[in-house]
Amino acid sequence: MKTSRMGSRVGVILIAAIVALSALGCSGAATSTPSPKSTVKQENVEMVNPKLVAANTRFGFKLFSEILKKDTQKNVFVSPSSVAIALSMTYNGASGETQQAMANALQLQGLSLSELNQANANLKTNLEKGDPSVTVAIANSLWARNGVSFNSEFIKRNQTFYDAEIKTLDFNSAAAPREINGWVNEKTNGKISEIIDQIRPDQVMFLINAIYFNGKWTNEFDKNQTEARSFYLANGKEKQHPLMQQKGKYRYYENDQFQAVSLPYGNEQMSLYLFLPSQKSSLSDFHKTLNSENWQTWMGQFSQRQGSVQIPRFKLSYDIELKEALSALGMAVAFDKSKADFSRLSDVETNINQVKHKTFVEVNEEGTEAAAVTSVGITVTSVQIEEPPFDMVVNRPFFCAIRDNKTGEILFMGSIINPNL
């Protein structure tokens, strides 16, 4: 039976997720140094497996729903992609009940381990090279304690399919947290400077994913048109806040419950989707309908339409410990030090102790800088009926998502109840 625990502090660039593993009996473990980076070439990297995108979409909305149960009165902004990638790296070390529980939580039905790994490699390449005018940078790393033996196949798969940087450190050194945080700061372009404040004696590994996004609007907002206007909070209070505005032709959809618009970046492969609940509804009501099935339906309903948009300029940081949410999704066994089975990771018994997530996003007249996950393909109707121009004023709590329109991957999603600067 295991006797150790683990803890960590983590984050993401625009969004990053970190998984910390702890083990028992570290003093008796054999010393090994992870092997050098594999040179195995990936084939068909341009082809993204739709099963992975569908799995990430289901996982993303289920995770978001669990998070909202905890943070109901604050802005929420997460990157389900970052969390999914970090956990997929860890999944390579799981066996038995633990492996099945993680597969269920990550919605990986129908995907073998080899298919999952190859699909993640292809998705990374596709997202990073999809639009030369939009920056998407996905970085992975694995930080191991000196003197602890780890399975060579586990290390190799993370190098080969996740392009993970493998580092062995003296976790007892005061310089270790600084080195890990320096990597995070670099990969997030300075938006997230710290993930780990200290390393506990029982911590033997950190798996970290960082995603950085920077996209310029296809059509930038004119700063001279930005004006301080009323924004109505969920509690009925009113505040003055800068609203950016422009007119044009957009992919747009509305029904009795909400208005929604797609604001594209660069060559329009990626977009910011904004969902504004109707006056007779609310953001909390919208959350009740937010799931992967409805999302796919809504994505197919967007069509080109002339109109005007007013959206708030905002900037925020968010962080959360995901152990409770992931346990609710079915992978509690992975956190249980007496039941977790990561025998494919190391001969030393280990469990996941923490999964922390941290994000940053800034939306202004030029574009968006953030960390996030995106999914879902775009369907264009062949026949469109001309409709009168719409007017969408985002002056109350709203939902947003950054989505890759080519693959359908959702990089980021959030509920903004009070935009801040």
Side-chain angles (χ1 to χ4, degrees), residues 210-244:
I211 300 177
Y212 178 79
F213 175 91
N214 195 327
K216 301 298 183 183
W217 301 121
T218 304
N219 297 301
E220 292 189 12
F221 288 79
D222 183 350
K223 292 182 180 180
N224 294 324
Q225 297 295 314
T226 300
E227 297 180 1
R229 298 194 176 185
S230 296
F231 188 94
Y232 302 92
L233 305 177
N235 60 10
K237 293 184 178 180
E238 176 183 349
K239 63 177 281 188
Q240 292 296 300
H241 190 84
L243 291 190
M244 310 180 296

PDB file of all heavy atoms in Angstrom, residues 210-244:
ATOM      1  N   ALA A 210       1.848  23.733 -21.955  1.00  0.00           N
ATOM      2  CA  ALA A 210       1.642  25.171 -22.088  1.00  0.00           C
ATOM      3  C   ALA A 210       1.138  25.466 -23.494  1.00  0.00           C
ATOM      4  O   ALA A 210       1.674  24.947 -24.470  1.00  0.00           O
ATOM      5  CB  ALA A 210       2.944  25.929 -21.827  1.00  0.00           C
ATOM      6  N   ILE A 211       0.096  26.275 -23.591  1.00  0.00           N
ATOM      7  CA  ILE A 211      -0.454  26.684 -24.888  1.00  0.00           C
ATOM      8  C   ILE A 211      -0.479  28.208 -24.944  1.00  0.00           C
ATOM      9  O   ILE A 211      -1.008  28.853 -24.037  1.00  0.00           O
ATOM     10  CB  ILE A 211      -1.877  26.149 -25.120  1.00  0.00           C
ATOM     11  CG1 ILE A 211      -1.898  24.621 -25.082  1.00  0.00           C
ATOM     12  CG2 ILE A 211      -2.422  26.647 -26.454  1.00  0.00           C
ATOM     13  CD1 ILE A 211      -3.287  24.016 -25.239  1.00  0.00           C
ATOM     14  N   TYR A 212       0.094  28.748 -25.981  1.00  0.00           N
ATOM     15  CA  TYR A 212       0.089  30.203 -26.173  1.00  0.00           C
ATOM     16  C   TYR A 212      -0.645  30.541 -27.460  1.00  0.00           C
ATOM     17  O   TYR A 212      -0.387  29.940 -28.509  1.00  0.00           O
ATOM     18  CB  TYR A 212       1.515  30.748 -26.226  1.00  0.00           C
ATOM     19  CG  TYR A 212       1.586  32.237 -26.467  1.00  0.00           C
ATOM     20  CD1 TYR A 212       1.354  33.138 -25.429  1.00  0.00           C
ATOM     21  CD2 TYR A 212       1.858  32.745 -27.738  1.00  0.00           C
ATOM     22  CE1 TYR A 212       1.403  34.503 -25.652  1.00  0.00           C
ATOM     23  CE2 TYR A 212       1.912  34.105 -27.953  1.00  0.00           C
ATOM     24  CZ  TYR A 212       1.684  34.983 -26.913  1.00  0.00           C
ATOM     25  OH  TYR A 212       1.707  36.330 -27.137  1.00  0.00           O
ATOM     26  N   PHE A 213      -1.560  31.489 -27.371  1.00  0.00           N
ATOM     27  CA  PHE A 213      -2.354  31.902 -28.533  1.00  0.00           C
ATOM     28  C   PHE A 213      -2.261  33.415 -28.694  1.00  0.00           C
ATOM     29  O   PHE A 213      -2.377  34.167 -27.721  1.00  0.00           O
ATOM     30  CB  PHE A 213      -3.819  31.512 -28.332  1.00  0.00           C
ATOM     31  CG  PHE A 213      -4.756  32.005 -29.414  1.00  0.00           C
ATOM     32  CD1 PHE A 213      -5.034  31.219 -30.525  1.00  0.00           C
ATOM     33  CD2 PHE A 213      -5.353  33.253 -29.327  1.00  0.00           C
ATOM     34  CE1 PHE A 213      -5.887  31.667 -31.525  1.00  0.00           C
ATOM     35  CE2 PHE A 213      -6.206  33.718 -30.312  1.00  0.00           C
ATOM     36  CZ  PHE A 213      -6.476  32.917 -31.423  1.00  0.00           C
ATOM     37  N   ASN A 214      -2.038  33.858 -29.930  1.00  0.00           N
ATOM     38  CA  ASN A 214      -2.042  35.291 -30.223  1.00  0.00           C
ATOM     39  C   ASN A 214      -2.601  35.467 -31.621  1.00  0.00           C
ATOM     40  O   ASN A 214      -1.966  35.086 -32.611  1.00  0.00           O
ATOM     41  CB  ASN A 214      -0.631  35.884 -30.127  1.00  0.00           C
ATOM     42  CG  ASN A 214      -0.650  37.398 -30.058  1.00  0.00           C
ATOM     43  OD1 ASN A 214      -1.512  38.051 -30.653  1.00  0.00           O
ATOM     44  ND2 ASN A 214       0.297  37.979 -29.340  1.00  0.00           N
ATOM     45  N   GLY A 215      -3.795  36.018 -31.695  1.00  0.00           N
ATOM     46  CA  GLY A 215      -4.439  36.187 -32.991  1.00  0.00           C
ATOM     47  C   GLY A 215      -4.921  37.609 -33.213  1.00  0.00           C
ATOM     48  O   GLY A 215      -5.536  38.207 -32.331  1.00  0.00           O
ATOM     49  N   LYS A 216      -4.617  38.148 -34.393  1.00  0.00           N
ATOM     50  CA  LYS A 216      -5.117  39.466 -34.770  1.00  0.00           C
ATOM     51  C   LYS A 216      -6.446  39.286 -35.502  1.00  0.00           C
ATOM     52  O   LYS A 216      -6.606  38.371 -36.309  1.00  0.00           O
ATOM     53  CB  LYS A 216      -4.115  40.180 -35.691  1.00  0.00           C
ATOM     54  CG  LYS A 216      -2.737  40.386 -35.073  1.00  0.00           C
ATOM     55  CD  LYS A 216      -2.800  41.259 -33.827  1.00  0.00           C
ATOM     56  CE  LYS A 216      -1.399  41.518 -33.254  1.00  0.00           C
ATOM     57  NZ  LYS A 216      -1.446  42.314 -32.003  1.00  0.00           N
ATOM     58  N   TRP A 217      -7.382  40.164 -35.212  1.00  0.00           N
ATOM     59  CA  TRP A 217      -8.672  40.093 -35.890  1.00  0.00           C
ATOM     60  C   TRP A 217      -8.482  40.179 -37.402  1.00  0.00           C
ATOM     61  O   TRP A 217      -7.593  40.881 -37.887  1.00  0.00           O
ATOM     62  CB  TRP A 217      -9.592  41.236 -35.464  1.00  0.00           C
ATOM     63  CG  TRP A 217      -9.925  41.339 -34.017  1.00  0.00           C
ATOM     64  CD1 TRP A 217      -9.687  42.402 -33.194  1.00  0.00           C
ATOM     65  CD2 TRP A 217     -10.582  40.354 -33.206  1.00  0.00           C
ATOM     66  NE1 TRP A 217     -10.138  42.145 -31.932  1.00  0.00           N
ATOM     67  CE2 TRP A 217     -10.702  40.886 -31.908  1.00  0.00           C
ATOM     68  CE3 TRP A 217     -11.077  39.074 -33.451  1.00  0.00           C
ATOM     69  CZ2 TRP A 217     -11.301  40.193 -30.860  1.00  0.00           C
ATOM     70  CZ3 TRP A 217     -11.675  38.378 -32.406  1.00  0.00           C
ATOM     71  CH2 TRP A 217     -11.788  38.938 -31.137  1.00  0.00           C
ATOM     72  N   THR A 218      -9.298  39.461 -38.140  1.00  0.00           N
ATOM     73  CA  THR A 218      -9.305  39.613 -39.590  1.00  0.00           C
ATOM     74  C   THR A 218      -9.623  41.066 -39.932  1.00  0.00           C
ATOM     75  O   THR A 218      -9.025  41.656 -40.842  1.00  0.00           O
ATOM     76  CB  THR A 218     -10.352  38.682 -40.226  1.00  0.00           C
ATOM     77  OG1 THR A 218     -10.077  37.330 -39.820  1.00  0.00           O
ATOM     78  CG2 THR A 218     -10.325  38.771 -41.738  1.00  0.00           C
ATOM     79  N   ASN A 219     -10.560  41.640 -39.196  1.00  0.00           N
ATOM     80  CA  ASN A 219     -10.913  43.053 -39.329  1.00  0.00           C
ATOM     81  C   ASN A 219     -10.812  43.683 -37.944  1.00  0.00           C
ATOM     82  O   ASN A 219     -11.670  43.428 -37.073  1.00  0.00           O
ATOM     83  CB  ASN A 219     -12.331  43.215 -39.883  1.00  0.00           C
ATOM     84  CG  ASN A 219     -12.468  42.643 -41.281  1.00  0.00           C
ATOM     85  OD1 ASN A 219     -11.785  43.050 -42.208  1.00  0.00           O
ATOM     86  ND2 ASN A 219     -13.350  41.660 -41.432  1.00  0.00           N
ATOM     87  N   GLU A 220      -9.750  44.451 -37.720  1.00  0.00           N
ATOM     88  CA  GLU A 220      -9.547  45.045 -36.406  1.00  0.00           C
ATOM     89  C   GLU A 220     -10.622  46.074 -36.076  1.00  0.00           C
ATOM     90  O   GLU A 220     -11.218  46.691 -36.957  1.00  0.00           O
ATOM     91  CB  GLU A 220      -8.167  45.708 -36.338  1.00  0.00           C
ATOM     92  CG  GLU A 220      -7.011  44.728 -36.376  1.00  0.00           C
ATOM     93  CD  GLU A 220      -5.673  45.390 -36.101  1.00  0.00           C
ATOM     94  OE1 GLU A 220      -5.662  46.568 -35.652  1.00  0.00           O
ATOM     95  OE2 GLU A 220      -4.632  44.745 -36.331  1.00  0.00           O
ATOM     96  N   PHE A 221     -10.851  46.248 -34.774  1.00  0.00           N
ATOM     97  CA  PHE A 221     -11.777  47.266 -34.302  1.00  0.00           C
ATOM     98  C   PHE A 221     -11.067  48.618 -34.300  1.00  0.00           C
ATOM     99  O   PHE A 221      -9.888  48.711 -33.987  1.00  0.00           O
ATOM    100  CB  PHE A 221     -12.261  46.943 -32.884  1.00  0.00           C
ATOM    101  CG  PHE A 221     -13.215  45.788 -32.796  1.00  0.00           C
ATOM    102  CD1 PHE A 221     -12.754  44.481 -32.829  1.00  0.00           C
ATOM    103  CD2 PHE A 221     -14.580  46.010 -32.676  1.00  0.00           C
ATOM    104  CE1 PHE A 221     -13.632  43.410 -32.752  1.00  0.00           C
ATOM    105  CE2 PHE A 221     -15.473  44.950 -32.588  1.00  0.00           C
ATOM    106  CZ  PHE A 221     -15.002  43.649 -32.630  1.00  0.00           C
ATOM    107  N   ASP A 222     -11.787  49.658 -34.650  1.00  0.00           N
ATOM    108  CA  ASP A 222     -11.261  51.020 -34.637  1.00  0.00           C
ATOM    109  C   ASP A 222     -11.282  51.535 -33.197  1.00  0.00           C
ATOM    110  O   ASP A 222     -12.354  51.635 -32.579  1.00  0.00           O
ATOM    111  CB  ASP A 222     -12.129  51.915 -35.536  1.00  0.00           C
ATOM    112  CG  ASP A 222     -11.596  53.335 -35.633  1.00  0.00           C
ATOM    113  OD1 ASP A 222     -10.664  53.697 -34.874  1.00  0.00           O
ATOM    114  OD2 ASP A 222     -12.125  54.106 -36.461  1.00  0.00           O
ATOM    115  N   LYS A 223     -10.104  51.833 -32.644  1.00  0.00           N
ATOM    116  CA  LYS A 223     -10.027  52.296 -31.262  1.00  0.00           C
ATOM    117  C   LYS A 223     -10.832  53.574 -31.039  1.00  0.00           C
ATOM    118  O   LYS A 223     -11.328  53.828 -29.934  1.00  0.00           O
ATOM    119  CB  LYS A 223      -8.565  52.520 -30.866  1.00  0.00           C
ATOM    120  CG  LYS A 223      -7.754  51.247 -30.777  1.00  0.00           C
ATOM    121  CD  LYS A 223      -6.323  51.523 -30.335  1.00  0.00           C
ATOM    122  CE  LYS A 223      -5.517  50.215 -30.239  1.00  0.00           C
ATOM    123  NZ  LYS A 223      -4.122  50.462 -29.805  1.00  0.00           N
ATOM    124  N   ASN A 224     -10.953  54.378 -32.097  1.00  0.00           N
ATOM    125  CA  ASN A 224     -11.709  55.627 -31.965  1.00  0.00           C
ATOM    126  C   ASN A 224     -13.206  55.380 -31.780  1.00  0.00           C
ATOM    127  O   ASN A 224     -13.938  56.281 -31.362  1.00  0.00           O
ATOM    128  CB  ASN A 224     -11.488  56.513 -33.196  1.00  0.00           C
ATOM    129  CG  ASN A 224     -10.054  57.000 -33.304  1.00  0.00           C
ATOM    130  OD1 ASN A 224      -9.402  57.278 -32.290  1.00  0.00           O
ATOM    131  ND2 ASN A 224      -9.540  57.099 -34.525  1.00  0.00           N
ATOM    132  N   GLN A 225     -13.641  54.152 -32.113  1.00  0.00           N
ATOM    133  CA  GLN A 225     -15.051  53.822 -31.966  1.00  0.00           C
ATOM    134  C   GLN A 225     -15.361  53.197 -30.604  1.00  0.00           C
ATOM    135  O   GLN A 225     -16.533  52.993 -30.261  1.00  0.00           O
ATOM    136  CB  GLN A 225     -15.482  52.848 -33.067  1.00  0.00           C
ATOM    137  CG  GLN A 225     -15.380  53.404 -34.479  1.00  0.00           C
ATOM    138  CD  GLN A 225     -16.324  54.561 -34.697  1.00  0.00           C
ATOM    139  OE1 GLN A 225     -17.498  54.503 -34.326  1.00  0.00           O
ATOM    140  NE2 GLN A 225     -15.810  55.639 -35.288  1.00  0.00           N
ATOM    141  N   THR A 226     -14.326  52.892 -29.843  1.00  0.00           N
ATOM    142  CA  THR A 226     -14.536  52.300 -28.510  1.00  0.00           C
ATOM    143  C   THR A 226     -15.034  53.369 -27.548  1.00  0.00           C
ATOM    144  O   THR A 226     -14.441  54.448 -27.443  1.00  0.00           O
ATOM    145  CB  THR A 226     -13.230  51.682 -27.980  1.00  0.00           C
ATOM    146  OG1 THR A 226     -12.803  50.660 -28.882  1.00  0.00           O
ATOM    147  CG2 THR A 226     -13.431  51.084 -26.606  1.00  0.00           C
ATOM    148  N   GLU A 227     -16.120  53.057 -26.848  1.00  0.00           N
ATOM    149  CA  GLU A 227     -16.718  54.019 -25.916  1.00  0.00           C
ATOM    150  C   GLU A 227     -17.098  53.334 -24.615  1.00  0.00           C
ATOM    151  O   GLU A 227     -17.434  52.148 -24.601  1.00  0.00           O
ATOM    152  CB  GLU A 227     -17.973  54.650 -26.532  1.00  0.00           C
ATOM    153  CG  GLU A 227     -17.726  55.463 -27.784  1.00  0.00           C
ATOM    154  CD  GLU A 227     -19.027  56.054 -28.336  1.00  0.00           C
ATOM    155  OE1 GLU A 227     -20.079  55.823 -27.707  1.00  0.00           O
ATOM    156  OE2 GLU A 227     -18.968  56.719 -29.378  1.00  0.00           O
ATOM    157  N   ALA A 228     -17.038  54.102 -23.529  1.00  0.00           N
ATOM    158  CA  ALA A 228     -17.492  53.601 -22.236  1.00  0.00           C
ATOM    159  C   ALA A 228     -19.016  53.556 -22.249  1.00  0.00           C
ATOM    160  O   ALA A 228     -19.675  54.578 -22.473  1.00  0.00           O
ATOM    161  CB  ALA A 228     -16.986  54.499 -21.116  1.00  0.00           C
ATOM    162  N   ARG A 229     -19.555  52.379 -22.033  1.00  0.00           N
ATOM    163  CA  ARG A 229     -21.007  52.209 -22.043  1.00  0.00           C
ATOM    164  C   ARG A 229     -21.425  51.328 -20.867  1.00  0.00           C
ATOM    165  O   ARG A 229     -20.607  50.751 -20.172  1.00  0.00           O
ATOM    166  CB  ARG A 229     -21.473  51.604 -23.362  1.00  0.00           C
ATOM    167  CG  ARG A 229     -21.146  52.492 -24.555  1.00  0.00           C
ATOM    168  CD  ARG A 229     -21.877  52.068 -25.796  1.00  0.00           C
ATOM    169  NE  ARG A 229     -21.628  52.988 -26.897  1.00  0.00           N
ATOM    170  CZ  ARG A 229     -22.224  52.914 -28.076  1.00  0.00           C
ATOM    171  NH1 ARG A 229     -23.116  51.963 -28.320  1.00  0.00           N
ATOM    172  NH2 ARG A 229     -21.938  53.795 -29.028  1.00  0.00           N
ATOM    173  N   SER A 230     -22.716  51.216 -20.685  1.00  0.00           N
ATOM    174  CA  SER A 230     -23.230  50.438 -19.560  1.00  0.00           C
ATOM    175  C   SER A 230     -23.065  48.945 -19.794  1.00  0.00           C
ATOM    176  O   SER A 230     -23.354  48.437 -20.880  1.00  0.00           O
ATOM    177  CB  SER A 230     -24.719  50.750 -19.344  1.00  0.00           C
ATOM    178  OG  SER A 230     -24.902  52.105 -18.985  1.00  0.00           O
ATOM    179  N   PHE A 231     -22.576  48.258 -18.765  1.00  0.00           N
ATOM    180  CA  PHE A 231     -22.527  46.798 -18.761  1.00  0.00           C
ATOM    181  C   PHE A 231     -23.305  46.362 -17.529  1.00  0.00           C
ATOM    182  O   PHE A 231     -23.041  46.823 -16.416  1.00  0.00           O
ATOM    183  CB  PHE A 231     -21.085  46.285 -18.687  1.00  0.00           C
ATOM    184  CG  PHE A 231     -20.978  44.798 -18.867  1.00  0.00           C
ATOM    185  CD1 PHE A 231     -20.731  44.252 -20.124  1.00  0.00           C
ATOM    186  CD2 PHE A 231     -21.130  43.930 -17.778  1.00  0.00           C
ATOM    187  CE1 PHE A 231     -20.644  42.875 -20.299  1.00  0.00           C
ATOM    188  CE2 PHE A 231     -21.046  42.558 -17.952  1.00  0.00           C
ATOM    189  CZ  PHE A 231     -20.806  42.029 -19.217  1.00  0.00           C
ATOM    190  N   TYR A 232     -24.288  45.487 -17.718  1.00  0.00           N
ATOM    191  CA  TYR A 232     -25.200  45.103 -16.652  1.00  0.00           C
ATOM    192  C   TYR A 232     -24.784  43.759 -16.047  1.00  0.00           C
ATOM    193  O   TYR A 232     -24.763  42.737 -16.728  1.00  0.00           O
ATOM    194  CB  TYR A 232     -26.625  45.029 -17.188  1.00  0.00           C
ATOM    195  CG  TYR A 232     -27.078  46.349 -17.776  1.00  0.00           C
ATOM    196  CD1 TYR A 232     -26.910  46.622 -19.138  1.00  0.00           C
ATOM    197  CD2 TYR A 232     -27.639  47.342 -16.973  1.00  0.00           C
ATOM    198  CE1 TYR A 232     -27.299  47.842 -19.679  1.00  0.00           C
ATOM    199  CE2 TYR A 232     -28.025  48.569 -17.505  1.00  0.00           C
ATOM    200  CZ  TYR A 232     -27.852  48.808 -18.852  1.00  0.00           C
ATOM    201  OH  TYR A 232     -28.229  50.021 -19.384  1.00  0.00           O
ATOM    202  N   LEU A 233     -24.430  43.767 -14.780  1.00  0.00           N
ATOM    203  CA  LEU A 233     -23.974  42.573 -14.091  1.00  0.00           C
ATOM    204  C   LEU A 233     -25.145  41.662 -13.748  1.00  0.00           C
ATOM    205  O   LEU A 233     -26.308  42.072 -13.793  1.00  0.00           O
ATOM    206  CB  LEU A 233     -23.213  42.963 -12.823  1.00  0.00           C
ATOM    207  CG  LEU A 233     -22.043  43.934 -13.029  1.00  0.00           C
ATOM    208  CD1 LEU A 233     -21.417  44.301 -11.690  1.00  0.00           C
ATOM    209  CD2 LEU A 233     -20.994  43.318 -13.949  1.00  0.00           C
ATOM    210  N   ALA A 234     -24.836  40.422 -13.385  1.00  0.00           N
ATOM    211  CA  ALA A 234     -25.878  39.442 -13.101  1.00  0.00           C
ATOM    212  C   ALA A 234     -26.742  39.837 -11.905  1.00  0.00           C
ATOM    213  O   ALA A 234     -27.921  39.475 -11.839  1.00  0.00           O
ATOM    214  CB  ALA A 234     -25.253  38.070 -12.851  1.00  0.00           C
ATOM    215  N   ASN A 235     -26.169  40.595 -10.973  1.00  0.00           N
ATOM    216  CA  ASN A 235     -26.927  41.010  -9.793  1.00  0.00           C
ATOM    217  C   ASN A 235     -27.777  42.251 -10.036  1.00  0.00           C
ATOM    218  O   ASN A 235     -28.380  42.802  -9.107  1.00  0.00           O
ATOM    219  CB  ASN A 235     -25.985  41.252  -8.614  1.00  0.00           C
ATOM    220  CG  ASN A 235     -24.959  42.344  -8.896  1.00  0.00           C
ATOM    221  OD1 ASN A 235     -25.047  43.066  -9.891  1.00  0.00           O
ATOM    222  ND2 ASN A 235     -23.959  42.461  -8.026  1.00  0.00           N
ATOM    223  N   GLY A 236     -27.805  42.731 -11.288  1.00  0.00           N
ATOM    224  CA  GLY A 236     -28.623  43.886 -11.625  1.00  0.00           C
ATOM    225  C   GLY A 236     -27.887  45.210 -11.575  1.00  0.00           C
ATOM    226  O   GLY A 236     -28.403  46.229 -12.051  1.00  0.00           O
ATOM    227  N   LYS A 237     -26.678  45.202 -11.017  1.00  0.00           N
ATOM    228  CA  LYS A 237     -25.919  46.439 -10.941  1.00  0.00           C
ATOM    229  C   LYS A 237     -25.372  46.824 -12.310  1.00  0.00           C
ATOM    230  O   LYS A 237     -25.177  45.983 -13.184  1.00  0.00           O
ATOM    231  CB  LYS A 237     -24.770  46.299  -9.939  1.00  0.00           C
ATOM    232  CG  LYS A 237     -25.240  46.153  -8.497  1.00  0.00           C
ATOM    233  CD  LYS A 237     -24.057  46.117  -7.538  1.00  0.00           C
ATOM    234  CE  LYS A 237     -24.540  46.010  -6.093  1.00  0.00           C
ATOM    235  NZ  LYS A 237     -23.393  45.982  -5.128  1.00  0.00           N
ATOM    236  N   GLU A 238     -25.092  48.109 -12.475  1.00  0.00           N
ATOM    237  CA  GLU A 238     -24.607  48.634 -13.751  1.00  0.00           C
ATOM    238  C   GLU A 238     -23.227  49.241 -13.556  1.00  0.00           C
ATOM    239  O   GLU A 238     -22.940  49.874 -12.536  1.00  0.00           O
ATOM    240  CB  GLU A 238     -25.593  49.686 -14.261  1.00  0.00           C
ATOM    241  CG  GLU A 238     -25.189  50.388 -15.538  1.00  0.00           C
ATOM    242  CD  GLU A 238     -26.176  51.477 -15.942  1.00  0.00           C
ATOM    243  OE1 GLU A 238     -27.265  51.529 -15.350  1.00  0.00           O
ATOM    244  OE2 GLU A 238     -25.843  52.281 -16.822  1.00  0.00           O
ATOM    245  N   LYS A 239     -22.345  49.020 -14.534  1.00  0.00           N
ATOM    246  CA  LYS A 239     -21.027  49.626 -14.488  1.00  0.00           C
ATOM    247  C   LYS A 239     -20.690  50.175 -15.867  1.00  0.00           C
ATOM    248  O   LYS A 239     -21.212  49.713 -16.881  1.00  0.00           O
ATOM    249  CB  LYS A 239     -19.964  48.605 -14.065  1.00  0.00           C
ATOM    250  CG  LYS A 239     -19.805  47.445 -15.038  1.00  0.00           C
ATOM    251  CD  LYS A 239     -18.697  46.491 -14.627  1.00  0.00           C
ATOM    252  CE  LYS A 239     -17.331  46.994 -14.977  1.00  0.00           C
ATOM    253  NZ  LYS A 239     -16.244  46.003 -14.760  1.00  0.00           N
ATOM    254  N   GLN A 240     -19.823  51.145 -15.902  1.00  0.00           N
ATOM    255  CA  GLN A 240     -19.356  51.694 -17.167  1.00  0.00           C
ATOM    256  C   GLN A 240     -18.123  50.908 -17.606  1.00  0.00           C
ATOM    257  O   GLN A 240     -17.194  50.700 -16.817  1.00  0.00           O
ATOM    258  CB  GLN A 240     -19.022  53.183 -17.031  1.00  0.00           C
ATOM    259  CG  GLN A 240     -20.248  54.063 -16.792  1.00  0.00           C
ATOM    260  CD  GLN A 240     -21.204  54.019 -17.977  1.00  0.00           C
ATOM    261  OE1 GLN A 240     -20.857  54.377 -19.106  1.00  0.00           O
ATOM    262  NE2 GLN A 240     -22.429  53.574 -17.714  1.00  0.00           N
ATOM    263  N   HIS A 241     -18.112  50.483 -18.880  1.00  0.00           N
ATOM    264  CA  HIS A 241     -17.019  49.665 -19.364  1.00  0.00           C
ATOM    265  C   HIS A 241     -16.808  49.921 -20.854  1.00  0.00           C
ATOM    266  O   HIS A 241     -17.774  50.119 -21.599  1.00  0.00           O
ATOM    267  CB  HIS A 241     -17.325  48.178 -19.136  1.00  0.00           C
ATOM    268  CG  HIS A 241     -16.151  47.288 -19.380  1.00  0.00           C
ATOM    269  ND1 HIS A 241     -15.184  47.040 -18.427  1.00  0.00           N
ATOM    270  CD2 HIS A 241     -15.764  46.605 -20.490  1.00  0.00           C
ATOM    271  CE1 HIS A 241     -14.269  46.230 -18.931  1.00  0.00           C
ATOM    272  NE2 HIS A 241     -14.593  45.958 -20.175  1.00  0.00           N
ATOM    273  N   PRO A 242     -15.547  49.906 -21.333  1.00  0.00           N
ATOM    274  CA  PRO A 242     -15.284  50.153 -22.757  1.00  0.00           C
ATOM    275  C   PRO A 242     -15.871  49.047 -23.645  1.00  0.00           C
ATOM    276  O   PRO A 242     -15.554  47.869 -23.462  1.00  0.00           O
ATOM    277  CB  PRO A 242     -13.754  50.161 -22.844  1.00  0.00           C
ATOM    278  CG  PRO A 242     -13.280  50.414 -21.455  1.00  0.00           C
ATOM    279  CD  PRO A 242     -14.292  49.767 -20.568  1.00  0.00           C
ATOM    280  N   LEU A 243     -16.707  49.437 -24.594  1.00  0.00           N
ATOM    281  CA  LEU A 243     -17.245  48.503 -25.575  1.00  0.00           C
ATOM    282  C   LEU A 243     -16.672  48.846 -26.946  1.00  0.00           C
ATOM    283  O   LEU A 243     -16.763  49.988 -27.403  1.00  0.00           O
ATOM    284  CB  LEU A 243     -18.781  48.570 -25.629  1.00  0.00           C
ATOM    285  CG  LEU A 243     -19.575  48.058 -24.427  1.00  0.00           C
ATOM    286  CD1 LEU A 243     -21.052  47.976 -24.776  1.00  0.00           C
ATOM    287  CD2 LEU A 243     -19.080  46.707 -23.958  1.00  0.00           C
ATOM    288  N   MET A 244     -16.052  47.858 -27.590  1.00  0.00           N
ATOM    289  CA  MET A 244     -15.551  48.024 -28.952  1.00  0.00           C
ATOM    290  C   MET A 244     -16.708  47.769 -29.902  1.00  0.00           C
ATOM    291  O   MET A 244     -17.608  46.986 -29.608  1.00  0.00           O
ATOM    292  CB  MET A 244     -14.415  47.027 -29.226  1.00  0.00           C
ATOM    293  CG  MET A 244     -13.332  47.027 -28.166  1.00  0.00           C
ATOM    294  SD  MET A 244     -11.992  45.840 -28.516  1.00  0.00           S
ATOM    295  CE  MET A 244     -12.852  44.277 -28.426  1.00  0.00           C
TER     296      MET A 244
END
